[in-house]
Amino acid sequence: MALIHLSSPHVSKANSTANVMRLVLLATLPGILAMTVFFGWGTLIQIVLASVLALAFEAAVLKLRKRPVGFFLSDGSALVTAVLLAVAIPPFSAWWVTATGIFFAIVISKQLYGGLGNNPFNPAMVAYALLLVSFPVEMTRWTAPITQNGEGWHVAGFLDTLQVIFGSVEQQWYDSFTGATPLDVLKHRAGLTTEELWRQSDVLMNGVAAWYAISAAWFMGGIFLLSRKIFTWHAPLSMLVALFLMASMFYGFDPDNYVSPIVHLGVGATMLGAFFIVTDPVSSATSNRGKIIYGALIGVMIYIIRTWGNYPDAVAFSVLLMNLCAPFIDQYTQPRTYGHKKANRGTKGKNQ
Amino acid sequence: MSQVFSFHGGIHPPENKKQSTRAPIGKAPLPKQLVLPMQQHIGGPADPLVKVGDSVLKGQLIAEPIGRISAAVHAPTSGKVVDIAHYPIPHASGLSGECVVIETDGEDRWIEHEGIADYKAIERAQLTEHIRASGISGMGGAGFPTDVKLHLGDNHIVNTLIINAAECEPYITADDMLMRERPHEIIGGIEIIAHLLRPSHILIGIEDNKTNAIHALEAAVKHCDLNIDIIVVPTKYPSGGERQLIKLLTDIEVPAGKIPADIGIVCQNVGTTSAVYRAVHKGEPLISRIVTVTGDAVRHPKNLEVLLGTPFSSLLEACDLRPEALSRLVMGGPMMGVTVDNDRIPVIKTTNCLIAATKQEMPPAPPAQACIRCGMCEQACPADLLPQQLYWFSKGREFDKAKHHNLFDCIECGACAYVCPSNIPLVQYYRFAKSEIRTEEREQQKADHARERFEARQARLDREAAEKEAKRKARAAEAAKAQEARKAAAAKPKEEAAATATAAPDIKQLKTAAAVARTKLKKAQKAFDEAAAGNSEGLAELEQALNEARLKAEEAEKALSAGSPAPAEGGDAELKQLKVAAAVARTKLKKAQDALKNAEDKGLEGIDKLRATVEALEQKADEAQKAFDAAQPADAAAKQESAPKETPAKAEPAAEPALDAKALKQQVSIMRTKLKKAETALEAAESDEERSSLQADVDDLKKRFDEATEAFNKVEKAKMDAAAQAGIDLKQLRIDAAMAKAAITKGERALKKAEADDERAQIEQELVAAQAKSDELHKTLSQYD
């Protein structure tokens, strides 16, 4: 009788990396839906474009690396990267902006490091940072939300949007559909107090509701993933709490010059970052304690860059900076193993 | 009621326990053959007591434990021993082990056996011994000999006894069924164990998925005097792990690298308690156990009471196996069980479950994907490890880091691999890393051993060299003494001659005695070595004989060495030497005289010196002659007549213009200087006239220089010849002289250090002897230099 000779365990949970990625993609749906409602077709077109490019680039590099293309493509990680980058860039970005970003995300910051699981930085955020630095004009010309465009809930049509992305349109068209984001306005305040800004700015008065709605949608997706135990609460919660505490502290101290913590949590990429970027397991800290530190530092960095830095939003930079720190954090945040008095720290040889 | 705590991690795999609990415990059919491995437990294998062909009765001891951590093996039924050889055993390695094969006779005849009527009345050590003799080892999985855990010694005070009834692995229901059907046996066993350990708490930990078993136990506990708490814990794998169960029930963690007994806790499996009950009350050794036979490939999964040694095939048959559906046969549970590759492998004391799995049930693992560090493994790990980090370190062979991340606290429960979405065989990676680290440590140990051995050897060699050196020095001192004696003999030849005659022992005889002693020693050594290699008895006697032989040999050797030098360096030799010396001196003198004459004729420089040399030589020759005359004994007159004639005759051919070597050497160097000066002048000369006159001078000088060199060489050669003739190796002489000097210096130093008067006197004596020897040597040397 010839039987298989294997060592234990002999059973495993019916789960797969592809399944994890599918769940993440599923969780992005409310956010995508909200963005499409408030910004028009641009987001969806960007997602499709980015996904196709991501799969193509991934397949090409896998082929060059002589890896089984189908096996690795099916893990779905390229799609997640594509969607996250697509929702992070302005919906009216030109196709070549997206293409450059995807190329950088998939080829440079993921595959060249050895593919899934080996990239030290979050690929979508690397690409986003590259685009922001390389094409500042394109990257800051955000679509004005539907709530801001006056009567009739006026939104750019599908064909118009296609033309914006793949061709070119007159400046006038642009001007009527784009505008500064709330964080932009709050950044370039021209000597006005926060209260004055709120009264003056159309974006803040009418547009900010759209941003809150989108953040709520991302938050829902995040809670879904949390409930499915795709990630733990540690990193996102600590990031949000840190950001909230920082903002509260300064806002409570000087409400005229600083922005309310609610705004910090509700606009920009805060919620997207907290639940879809910070939770990227590959590039974040490992242990639960490490994730708390990692998330909290990102929250603090976001506040610092938003308030005193040159860029209106800061999720990408903060995440990248903390990606750098993650291995270091890992060294000092090993959990205390069963039966040990205290946790091991640092590298081998110390505190043994 | 006690509180239930929790441990980190854990998983909830499908239980698959219902299938095998529908039917009551059945009885497995008696197979034709029982194969009993000698190692069914942790520790040393048992040693067979039976021979092929022996008839055995049920319950008869067939193998006894070797060492403290080992367990006895009994015949599970009556029959005949047909083979004792290596057979495949249930082990992860798939290797075979020594087994006793019993052909059953179907009669199932018991050996006479009897329980202990009142176990509380006998000594506890005796009771433990009875349990040991019954061959009971842990029946939960590891198979640790139970008596060791029941007899812990004074340094372990047990305050908590934990009965492990968790049975957390999927599929397995052996303990569950045992508790349902025989709760009184379990409680009875607990009473015995509690009597031995005297714990203050007794806790039974049981998972909440075994409702019937909990009820049965609760009912049984009511009739028990002991205060037993049945603690129902939530179903979660691996709550049945010893350390996890302890944490669940007491919130205490067993410190890393320690055993529960170190913190006053002892864990016993319910199956073990039942076996203890049977052994004590009925006198039945451990010869059977309950095995869950389950899996989708058997039609009627159930629990069976099985005799140890029953092949798996017989159990599978009893449960109606579908052979075509069977793809994986697992002994134990699906999480930590061991696959076996054939069904002839026997049931042993730790076999709690047999899963005949179909391919759908336990599909081959899909190819592993990349680790995305999702951390699901970390959330599942019951030991609070970072499995994802351990995986990276194991894969990258960064074993130091893996160790630093407490790799060795991994209990290999498989929870991490179970939850891994990338299907990475994590446990296999950890096993690999562990074995690599162990191998590395073994190598390191080996290297350390080798280094220690080398250092020890080096020290021994140094010591031996030092001993040799000391011996050599002692010999030198002795020789010096002998020399002294010789000198004295030379001074008083008559006495000496008489002494030689009487003192000289028969050297030949001594030599023979020494050789015989040596041979004997060698033989004794050989016999001893053989005995040592064979590990036979009487080693001590042989050793004594060897030592005696060695002593004898040494004595013989000593006697020989004491006897031989005296006659060899007797007065005769001394006389000869003196004679030669006198002859040499005469020869030298003659040569010097010739040289002087020659020099005077030629009017060379350095005549004065030569003259002085000749005078000195004359004196020396006289001295030598005098010494010789003095030493010449009367009875050696005949020899004396012929010797002087012979010596000069031999020396004469070498007697060329002889000069004192030193003077000649000086002369040669003077000549060389002069010649050089003249040559320089010649080169510097300007006019032809001057040059030609200088040239003549140079030629002349050159000639003279050549002559001087030749003379010197000749003298030198003559010196060597003379020395050779005298039978003295000049080189050796010089070395001896230097050594003698060194010995004196050392002696002086020792004298300074020496404190006791006795010692000082001895050293002084030695020093005087050494001084004498040194003087002697220098004197001899000066004759030739």
Side-chain angles (χ1 to χ4, degrees):
Chain A
M1 193 181 291
L3 295 166
I4 309 171
H5 193 84
L6 290 168
S7 55
S8 65
H10 305 288
V11 288
S12 74
K13 202 171 173 180
N15 198 0
S16 69
T17 305
N19 201 30
V20 172
M21 298 295 173
R22 256 197 300 281
L23 282 173
V24 174
L25 288 175
L26 196 66
T28 57
L29 287 182
I32 294 169
L33 190 70
M35 282 185 77
T36 310
V37 167
F38 291 107
F39 299 131
W41 295 101
T43 306
L44 279 183
I45 295 168
Q46 294 291 359
I47 287 171
V48 172
L49 173 63
S51 300
V52 170
L53 285 172
L55 289 176
F57 283 137
E58 178 115 320
V61 182
L62 285 170
K63 190 108 191 150
L64 283 174
R65 289 180 62 210
K66 298 194 171 68
R67 295 290 191 279
V69 176
F71 179 74
F72 283 106
L73 268 192
S74 66
D75 65 28
S77 60
L79 282 180
V80 172
T81 302
V83 170
L84 291 180
L85 183 63
V87 299
I89 59 175
F92 288 161
S93 300
W95 66 269
W96 47 267
V97 170
T98 315
T100 311
I102 289 295
F103 176 81
F104 212 75
I106 299 293
V107 178
I108 307 288
S109 68
K110 182 173 146 194
Q111 287 293 346
L112 288 194
Y113 280 101
L116 179 62
N118 297 306
N119 46 305
F121 300 103
N122 183 312
M125 289 303 103
V126 171
Y128 181 83
L130 173 94
L131 294 178
L132 188 58
V133 172
S134 310
F135 314 117
V137 178
E138 284 79 0
M139 288 298 287
T140 48
R141 195 159 52 194
W142 199 272
T143 315
I146 192 168
T147 50
Q148 200 191 319
N149 290 343
E151 281 119 66
W153 289 67
H154 180 61
V155 70
F158 180 69
L159 287 176
D160 279 348
T161 314
L162 269 184
Q163 205 184 344
V164 177
I165 293 170
F166 290 99
S168 66
V169 290
E170 292 148 35
Q171 191 62 37
Q172 214 183 342
W173 188 93
Y174 251 137
D175 291 346
S176 63
F177 284 102
T178 61
T181 63
L183 283 173
D184 250 339
V185 175
L186 288 164
K187 173 112 238 159
H188 307 106
R189 49 177 63 210
L192 297 169
T193 64
T194 307
E195 213 191 328
E196 286 165 345
L197 267 176
W198 277 102
R199 262 186 266 120
Q200 271 191 13
S201 165
D202 190 28
V203 184
L204 291 185
M205 274 203 298
N206 300 319
V208 83
W211 289 93
Y212 284 158
I214 292 166
S215 284
W218 289 126
F219 181 76
M220 275 167 57
I223 295 300
F224 166 72
L225 288 181
L226 203 54
S227 72
R228 300 301 298 263
K229 294 186 174 161
I230 297 303
F231 52 74
T232 60
W233 54 266
H234 304 82
L237 188 71
S238 70
M239 176 200 137
L240 294 177
V241 167
L243 180 59
F244 182 81
L245 287 180
M246 282 292 281
S248 306
M249 204 166 71
F250 285 95
Y251 185 68
F253 171 67
D254 182 3
D256 282 348
N257 281 316
Y258 293 99
V259 182
S260 128
I262 304 299
V263 176
H264 269 296
L265 292 187
V267 301
T270 307
M271 287 299 164
L272 174 68
F275 291 101
F276 293 89
I277 307 295
V278 173
T279 52
D280 167 30
V282 176
S283 55
S284 81
T286 298
S287 67
N288 291 342
R289 216 145 53 90
K291 282 178 192 152
I292 289 177
I293 294 171
Y294 172 81
L297 287 174
I298 289 177
V300 170
M301 284 303 297
I302 289 174
Y303 188 79
I304 290 172
I305 299 176
R306 273 185 185 176
T307 310
W308 299 291
N310 268 333
Y311 290 94
D313 206 350
V315 173
F317 292 117
S318 306
V319 167
L320 290 178
L321 282 171
M322 286 310 131
N323 284 168
L324 273 175
C325 299
F328 181 74
I329 294 171
D330 282 346
Q331 281 189 6
Y332 288 91
T333 53
Q334 275 190 54
R336 184 187 64 85
T337 305
Y338 178 102
H340 286 251
K341 281 213 178 68
K342 56 177 189 175
N344 285 341
R345 284 167 154 211
T347 45
K348 198 241 151 203
K350 283 166 198 160
N351 304 308
Q352 276 274 48
Chain B
M1 262 322 257
S2 291
Q3 196 187 341
V4 179
F5 303 90
S6 74
F7 63 91
H8 179 266
I11 53 170
H12 298 95
E15 289 176 20
N16 283 312
K17 287 184 189 256
K18 295 249 154 43
Q19 301 93 306
S20 53
T21 53
R22 284 185 209 117
I25 298 172
K27 206 161 168 56
L30 187 68
K32 280 203 187 93
Q33 272 194 345
L34 294 175
V35 181
L36 292 154
M38 290 296 99
Q39 176 135 37
Q40 307 186 23
H41 49 265
I42 282 180
D47 192 31
L49 293 170
V50 290
K51 296 190 300 293
V52 175
D54 284 1
S55 285
V56 291
L57 292 173
K58 183 170 186 164
Q60 183 182 335
L61 181 71
I62 57 167
E64 59 177 356
I66 296 291
R68 177 150 152 81
I69 309 213
S70 185
V73 180
H74 301 79
T77 185
S78 57
K80 206 166 133 195
V81 176
V82 291
D83 197 7
I84 299 177
H86 275 61
Y87 282 87
I89 54 166
H91 190 268
S93 65
L95 293 174
S96 52
E98 193 182 28
C99 299
V100 172
V101 183
I102 295 173
E103 203 167 77
T104 56
D105 58 12
E107 291 172 26
D108 212 23
R109 256 182 305 129
W110 266 99
I111 195 167
E112 227 171 90
H113 64 287
E114 203 178 356
I116 298 170
D118 184 6
Y119 63 84
K120 286 182 182 167
I122 64 168
E123 287 271 323
R124 287 200 282 175
Q126 209 180 328
L127 186 54
T128 321
E129 192 46 49
H130 179 80
I131 291 168
R132 177 175 166 86
S134 302
I136 299 174
S137 62
M139 291 166 79
F144 193 81
T146 300
D147 63 286
V148 181
K149 276 166 123 181
L150 297 181
H151 186 69
L152 288 161
D154 296 333
N155 48 348
H156 291 107
I157 296 160
V158 176
N159 51 42
T160 308
L161 171 65
I162 290 177
I163 303 301
N164 189 345
E167 201 165 57
C168 61
E169 272 229 45
Y171 287 97
I172 311 176
T173 55
D175 287 350
D176 187 5
M177 293 309 287
L178 180 74
M179 287 186 281
R180 288 189 201 187
E181 298 192 9
R182 302 171 192 169
H184 62 281
E185 280 189 9
I186 293 164
I187 302 299
I190 292 172
E191 281 171 347
I192 297 164
I193 294 169
H195 169 67
L196 284 169
L197 294 173
R198 308 209 165 151
S200 47
H201 303 88
I202 301 169
L203 308 172
I204 301 178
I206 184 164
E207 276 191 348
D208 58 9
N209 58 359
K210 290 181 255 300
T211 329
N212 293 345
I214 295 167
H215 290 322
L217 278 184
E218 276 171 350
V221 164
K222 277 179 192 151
H223 305 293
C224 173
D225 299 336
L226 289 168
N227 184 19
I228 299 175
D229 278 337
I230 297 170
I231 302 178
V232 180
V233 300
T235 300
K236 178 165 88 167
Y237 176 84
S239 62
E242 191 175 60
R243 281 156 197 261
Q244 279 64 39
L245 187 64
I246 289 171
K247 179 81 168 62
L248 271 175
L249 301 186
T250 66
D251 204 28
I252 298 169
E253 290 183 7
V254 182
K258 298 217 165 157
I259 56 167
D262 292 332
I263 53 168
I265 295 173
V266 166
C267 278
Q268 293 287 0
N269 173 264
V270 280
T272 317
T273 61
S274 154
V276 168
Y277 172 85
R278 284 188 172 205
V280 172
H281 286 285
K282 300 184 180 171
E284 292 176 11
L286 181 55
I287 51 169
S288 71
R289 67 157 298 143
I290 295 168
V291 179
T292 307
V293 183
T294 181
D296 287 355
V298 289
R299 289 197 186 87
H300 301 107
K302 61 185 159 207
N303 281 278
L304 293 170
E305 169 114 41
V306 183
L307 294 180
L308 301 181
T310 306
F312 290 166
S313 57
S314 152
L315 302 185
L316 295 172
E317 213 173 292
C319 293
D320 217 352
L321 174 78
R322 294 183 292 141
E324 72 288 349
L326 179 64
S327 99
R328 206 186 297 198
L329 193 55
V330 179
M331 180 186 118
M335 298 304 296
M336 292 181 80
V338 174
T339 53
V340 291
D341 48 18
N342 74 67
D343 59 0
R344 292 181 308 281
I345 285 173
V347 168
I348 59 170
K349 290 173 186 174
T350 56
T351 310
N352 49 9
C353 182
L354 194 59
I355 306 172
T358 60
K359 203 165 180 182
Q360 293 74 37
E361 205 175 3
M362 291 187 187
Q369 285 172 287
C371 170
I372 54 169
R373 295 157 56 99
C374 63
M376 290 181 189
C377 47
E378 181 195 344
Q379 308 309 327
C381 181
D384 294 86
L385 297 167
L386 291 176
Q388 73 274 51
Q389 297 290 79
L390 291 175
Y391 159 69
W392 285 105
F393 298 145
S394 302
K395 196 178 180 185
R397 303 186 69 100
E398 292 178 289
F399 298 135
D400 279 353
K401 285 187 185 166
K403 251 160 83 181
H404 186 61
H405 278 68
N406 299 326
L407 172 66
F408 282 92
D409 286 287
C410 169
I411 56 170
E412 297 179 22
C413 68
C416 51
Y418 178 79
V419 297
C420 181
S422 290
N423 299 304
I424 300 168
L426 292 165
V427 183
Q428 280 82 346
Y429 273 102
Y430 308 148
R431 287 196 193 109
F432 158 74
K434 282 180 182 177
S435 74
E436 286 292 291
I437 291 170
R438 287 199 191 105
T439 313
E440 226 167 67
E441 278 170 358
R442 252 200 311 276
E443 301 270 297
Q444 183 58 42
Q445 249 171 15
K446 249 193 212 161
D448 285 348
H449 265 280
R451 189 170 44 74
E452 274 162 29
R453 270 206 306 272
F454 173 76
E455 280 167 3
R457 179 173 180 272
Q458 206 58 33
R460 180 173 57 80
L461 288 181
D462 287 351
R463 204 173 53 240
E464 278 175 4
E467 273 167 17
K468 233 179 182 172
E469 177 68 16
K471 265 187 200 158
R472 199 185 58 71
K473 269 183 198 149
R475 268 205 310 276
E478 230 166 80
K481 257 187 215 163
Q483 194 101 2
E484 190 107 344
R486 213 184 312 147
K487 227 174 167 184
K492 295 176 210 160
K494 268 186 195 166
E495 270 176 42
E496 199 273 327
T500 316
T502 51
D506 192 346
I507 290 165
K508 229 181 203 171
Q509 209 176 329
L510 278 174
K511 255 186 194 160
T512 319
V516 169
R518 264 202 301 273
T519 318
K520 267 189 190 161
L521 173 63
K522 235 180 223 168
K523 266 187 194 163
Q525 183 75 46
K526 203 172 164 194
F528 175 70
D529 285 350
E530 272 170 8
N535 206 4
S536 72
E537 285 163 49
L539 211 57
E541 272 172 51
L542 274 171
E543 198 165 10
Q544 207 180 346
L546 177 64
N547 284 337
E548 272 169 25
R550 196 175 287 145
L551 218 64
K552 254 187 200 163
E554 271 166 18
E555 263 170 17
E557 213 71 61
K558 221 186 268 171
L560 178 63
S561 63
S564 54
E569 294 173 30
D572 269 9
E574 184 76 1
L575 202 60
K576 226 179 208 169
Q577 216 173 334
L578 280 170
K579 214 192 273 173
V580 174
V584 169
R586 267 202 306 279
T587 319
K588 265 191 188 168
L589 177 61
K590 207 177 171 201
K591 273 184 195 167
Q593 276 166 345
D594 284 354
L596 180 62
K597 215 176 179 183
N598 201 12
E600 269 168 349
D601 289 351
K602 284 184 185 168
L604 283 175
E605 281 167 68
I607 283 177
D608 290 345
K609 264 179 205 160
L610 272 174
R611 209 170 273 147
T613 315
V614 169
E615 268 162 79
L617 279 171
E618 257 169 338
Q619 215 174 336
K620 250 187 198 170
D622 280 355
E623 265 173 34
Q625 188 62 45
K626 240 183 249 167
F628 173 62
D629 287 347
Q632 198 175 24
D635 54 346
K639 272 185 196 170
Q640 186 215 359
E641 259 182 16
S642 58
K645 271 180 202 164
E646 249 174 50
T647 320
K650 264 187 195 167
E652 237 146 23
E656 286 282 291
L659 285 170
D660 184 81
K662 247 184 209 159
L664 274 173
K665 212 178 189 176
Q666 216 166 0
Q667 202 183 344
V668 168
S669 70
I670 290 166
M671 286 294 180
R672 195 184 290 130
T673 323
K674 270 192 183 166
L675 182 60
K676 257 200 191 137
K677 266 188 194 162
E679 272 170 346
T680 323
L682 179 63
E683 266 167 48
E686 281 168 11
S687 70
D688 278 12
E689 254 180 84
E690 223 179 321
R691 202 170 289 158
S692 68
S693 86
L694 275 171
Q695 187 68 49
D697 278 359
V698 169
D699 287 347
D700 187 34
L701 274 170
K702 219 178 230 169
K703 209 169 142 195
R704 269 153 64 185
F705 171 69
D706 287 345
E707 271 171 9
T709 314
E710 206 180 331
F712 173 68
N713 286 345
K714 267 181 191 163
V715 168
E716 196 69 7
K717 201 178 166 236
K719 200 163 75 180
M720 298 296 281
D721 286 350
Q725 227 155 35
I728 296 162
D729 187 351
L730 268 182
K731 242 187 210 162
Q732 190 56 47
L733 210 58
R734 276 194 199 112
I735 293 166
D736 285 350
M739 278 201 315
K741 216 179 193 173
I744 291 165
T745 324
K746 267 193 192 162
E748 274 166 356
R749 225 177 281 152
L751 188 61
K752 265 184 211 162
K753 271 189 200 165
E755 279 163 20
D757 279 5
D758 280 5
E759 213 179 331
R760 195 178 293 233
Q762 201 188 335
I763 291 170
E764 241 163 314
Q765 211 174 342
E766 275 169 20
L767 197 57
V768 169
Q771 195 84 47
K773 193 189 175 189
S774 168
D775 288 351
E776 178 85 4
L777 282 167
H778 274 286
K779 213 172 178 183
T780 321
L781 202 57
S782 65
Q783 281 175 3
Y784 299 101
D785 268 344

